[in-house]
Amino acid sequence: METQSWEVLVHKKQLEAAAKIPIEWRLPEKLTKISEMSGINVLDVPRQSGILTPRQLEITEEWDATDLLRKMHCQELSAYEVTEAFCIRAAIVQQVTRCLTETFFERALQRAKDLDEILCKTGTLVGPLHGLPISFKDCFNIDGIPSTIGFTSFIKNGPLSSTSPAVRILLNLGAIPYVKTNVPQTMMAADSHNYIFGRTINPHRSNLTAGGSTGGEGALIAMRGSVLGVGTDIASSIRIPAVCNGIYSLRSSADRIPYGGQTSSVRGGLAGIKPCAGPMATSVRDLELFMKLVTNADPWQFDSSALFSPWRTVTPKSALRLGLILEDSHFPLHPPVLRTLTRATKTLEAAGNQIIPLHTLLMRNACTLAFRMFSMDPALTPFKHIAASGEPTIPALASTSLHHGYMPYGCAPLTLEGLYDLNEEPNHLKEEFRDRIMQAKVDAIIMPGYQGTAQPHDLSGFVPYTVLCNVMDYPSCIIPYGKANKSADEAFIRRVNYKPPYVADDIEGAPCCIQLVGRNMHDEELVKVAELVSETLML
């Protein structure tokens, strides 16, 4: 039998995906023709569409996960009406951003009905997340649902017969999975683009990336098609989409949230940098809600690699001592990022917090080390998956090659000697960073999340300010704060080599943010710092 071309497989998959959106949830064609170059803002499309009722708009726009759970648990809202509202809104968001891979609305609505019936008959909640719709990055496996993770060669795998431990825990807690979200081909790029589901665009400006590799989640949550999603992070993949889309996210310490049982793009067996799973949300308290409930579920029972590390109760401080990492000169901050960080630190100081400058050039070194580690597989496994179907590589992959002009360093030698040397390097970086933190006696670090805002498609490249935490295995949190404004940003323009280039008109109105970094396994303290910082910045 003749093998079908990748284009035919993709076309069939796209038709199947489109057919899963009910006719009554479909947008008119004039709203779905979104140019990837035009810079259109689509945040208001769900409201403008007229598809959502006033109550459904209220459900999806007015409350975070914590509020929704409270209302459902006192039966002010039903699980069914909340789930239906988010299913409809997610379907609308998909049509203007291409943020979803798999939708299973009927299955989610049936679970919501079942949960409502249990609560009505017994007066008992299935768990603390009873009735809450939660979205998942495409790599998380759910029984009966495919996980293609951006490879057309994975289409033939069809629906899976397993469920990732993280998903199983959330199901036990009462959550309702309803969609999976888009990722880049290989899951190693800052643009969520593949040839199956297309390119996820940034809802703030269609000419900008939604980030990666959890970019589908970023766009979906930014448009309130979800209030709580689960992503993964080995090279900033939870945080860069938060940077790009103006949402909250937490890269947790590795192994606190079970990572096993996912569909992977890479070859196993290389210790290197540990990947982790974590939450993306619309508030800091929802990040803590997720972490507390999952870590308290003893995830080792579901995943042998997960640590037993129940969430600790931490007394919040009334004033903070924050270390400030402003910039690595090799990756100068774009004007809106420099302005945002300057404004944030001044506001925090005015509120009685101390800001302690920390001078370090670790970002460039950590970034080089990380991408050398990612390149150690002699089999080039992700590219074998690409070659298996004959599809081309996505353009964004060229922006993170170590032969790139921004990072003119070769890969580490593919030898045992080279591997030993590579594995030793993080220890030196960790010790230097620990020493600086101890000398400064800080509660946490405030720093950029990325040298710029969301960038035009395929130009994001290296992510030194976030991948540092992957190398160190430090928890870090993205907090949205303001937007690019070329008139306000003009005073912060300098004669430096911006990487990638700074073009004010391209990013006008793009979200800005700050990043907070804490000590390994001190996620609890970091979340409390994030809460106080958010309150101080009046977010």
Side-chain angles (χ1 to χ4, degrees):
M1 187 174 74
E2 185 178 353
T3 303
Q4 291 180 317
S5 69
W6 70 268
E7 293 95 340
V8 170
L9 292 172
V10 163
H11 182 63
K12 288 182 178 179
K13 181 69 176 177
Q14 290 174 346
L15 290 176
E16 289 173 6
K20 291 179 182 177
I21 296 179
I23 294 174
E24 60 271 23
W25 298 357
R26 296 180 189 175
L27 294 171
E29 188 177 357
K30 66 179 180 179
L31 291 179
T32 61
K33 284 191 172 182
I34 309 296
S35 167
E36 294 179 3
M37 304 303 294
S38 64
I40 291 174
N41 182 307
V42 297
L43 290 169
D44 289 336
V45 168
R47 179 171 282 273
Q48 294 169 350
S49 70
I51 295 173
L52 292 156
T53 67
R55 186 167 175 85
Q56 288 169 339
L57 287 169
E58 183 182 34
I59 288 170
T60 54
E61 293 179 358
E62 296 299 320
W63 302 304
D64 64 0
T66 301
D67 279 336
L68 286 169
L69 287 166
R70 178 177 55 81
K71 290 178 178 293
M72 283 189 286
H73 295 176
C74 71
Q75 295 181 283
E76 184 180 331
L77 293 171
S78 70
Y80 186 88
E81 64 179 329
V82 170
T83 302
E84 183 181 47
F86 279 102
C87 285
I88 296 172
R89 192 166 185 123
I92 294 170
V93 176
Q94 160 65 4
Q95 294 171 76
V96 292
T97 66
R98 298 188 291 272
C99 61
L100 304 181
T101 56
E102 306 294 338
T103 60
F104 30 103
F105 300 134
E106 290 184 5
R107 177 169 162 172
L109 291 169
Q110 183 58 55
R111 177 167 168 81
K113 281 183 181 178
D114 295 341
L115 291 173
D116 282 336
E117 187 174 345
I118 290 170
L119 181 57
C120 182
K121 287 184 176 180
T122 68
T124 303
L125 301 171
V126 166
L129 294 178
H130 184 110
L132 183 70
I134 292 183
S135 48
F136 291 88
K137 186 177 183 177
D138 192 56
C139 53
F140 286 95
N141 293 343
I142 299 175
D143 183 28
I145 308 296
S147 291
T148 51
I149 62 168
F151 292 118
T152 64
S153 61
F154 282 19
I155 293 175
K156 66 180 184 301
N157 297 342
L160 303 180
S161 58
S162 63
T163 299
S164 299
V167 181
R168 291 168 59 197
I169 289 172
L170 291 165
L171 285 167
N172 291 347
L173 292 169
I176 301 176
Y178 64 118
V179 293
K180 296 213 297 177
T181 53
N182 206 17
V183 298
Q185 181 194 62
T186 75
M187 294 205 300
M188 289 298 292
D191 289 80
S192 290
H193 175 210
N194 60 72
Y195 296 108
I196 309 172
F197 302 105
R199 186 194 297 278
T200 299
I201 64 169
N202 191 312
H204 296 269
R205 285 189 64 107
S206 62
N207 65 307
L208 301 180
T209 180
S213 62
T214 320
E217 282 293 332
L220 181 67
I221 294 171
M223 290 190 69
R224 304 285 300 198
S226 172
V227 288
L228 185 59
V230 190
T232 64
D233 194 314
I234 191 173
S236 316
S237 296
I238 284 174
R239 290 158 294 149
I240 290 300
V243 170
C244 293
N245 294 285
I247 66 170
Y248 295 83
S249 72
L250 177 68
R251 181 222 178 262
S252 62
S253 297
D255 298 329
R256 293 202 73 177
I257 305 300
Y259 188 85
Q262 297 182 45
T263 296
S264 175
S265 64
V266 299
R267 180 183 183 183
L270 183 66
I273 296 172
K274 280 191 171 184
C276 64
M280 303 170 73
T282 62
S283 67
V284 172
R285 67 177 182 174
D286 283 355
L287 300 178
E288 182 175 25
L289 172 75
F290 175 93
M291 292 297 298
K292 180 179 180 179
L293 293 177
V294 176
T295 56
N296 285 347
D298 191 5
W300 177 87
Q301 295 183 72
F302 303 84
D303 181 352
S304 61
S305 67
L307 297 174
F308 177 71
S309 58
W311 196 252
R312 294 177 288 107
T313 300
V314 173
T315 302
K317 295 186 176 184
S318 57
L320 300 170
R321 184 177 169 90
L322 296 174
L324 169 63
I325 294 179
L326 183 62
E327 184 177 64
D328 182 324
S329 59
H330 187 71
F331 290 99
L333 300 186
H334 287 198
V337 178
L338 183 57
R339 176 178 59 83
T340 297
L341 198 55
T342 302
R343 176 184 167 211
T345 52
K346 285 182 177 179
T347 302
L348 289 165
E349 275 190 309
N353 303 286
Q354 290 182 279
I355 304 295
I356 313 299
L358 298 179
H359 302 289
T360 177
L361 297 177
L362 290 179
M363 277 73 74
R364 182 183 185 179
N365 295 338
C367 191
T368 305
L369 171 62
F371 282 87
R372 279 179 168 167
M373 284 186 160
F374 302 148
S375 303
M376 279 299 287
D377 175 13
L380 301 174
T381 301
F383 293 93
K384 281 190 173 180
H385 296 321
I386 295 172
S389 69
E391 66 177 328
T393 57
I394 59 170
L397 292 178
S399 69
T400 51
S401 165
L402 280 177
H403 301 290
H404 195 285
Y406 298 166
M407 297 284 278
Y409 309 106
C411 296
L414 296 180
T415 63
L416 193 56
E417 189 74 22
L419 182 59
Y420 267 82
D421 291 342
L422 209 57
N423 284 336
E424 181 60 19
E425 283 187 49
N427 297 328
H428 301 304
L429 295 176
K430 288 177 183 178
E431 185 59 24
E432 181 179 343
F433 207 62
R434 183 202 64 80
D435 188 55
R436 291 179 185 273
I437 291 172
M438 291 301 295
Q439 286 184 24
K441 296 181 171 60
V442 295
D443 298 307
I445 291 168
I446 183 171
M447 62 185 291
Y450 177 65
Q451 58 267 36
T453 62
Q455 293 297 297
H457 304 300
D458 304 323
L459 295 182
S460 296
F462 295 98
V463 287
Y465 293 97
T466 42
V467 81
L468 173 71
C469 297
N470 296 96
V471 174
M472 305 286 181
D473 190 18
Y474 281 15
S476 61
C477 179
I478 295 296
I479 297 178
Y481 187 48
K483 293 185 177 182
N485 181 312
K486 62 181 178 181
S487 61
D489 297 334
E490 188 174 4
F492 293 86
I493 297 175
R494 297 167 291 162
R495 288 180 171 271
V496 294
N497 182 18
Y498 293 115
K499 309 181 189 79
Y502 168 64
V503 182
D505 289 337
D506 286 350
I507 62 165
E508 181 73 0
C512 296
C513 71
I514 58 171
Q515 179 178 206
L516 297 171
V517 178
R519 283 177 56 187
N520 175 260
M521 297 302 291
H522 282 59
D523 307 56
E524 293 89 343
E525 286 83 356
L526 178 62
V527 167
K528 292 304 177 189
V529 168
E531 286 178 352
L532 181 56
V533 168
S534 290
E535 290 170 7
T536 305
L537 299 179
M538 294 184 292
L539 298 172

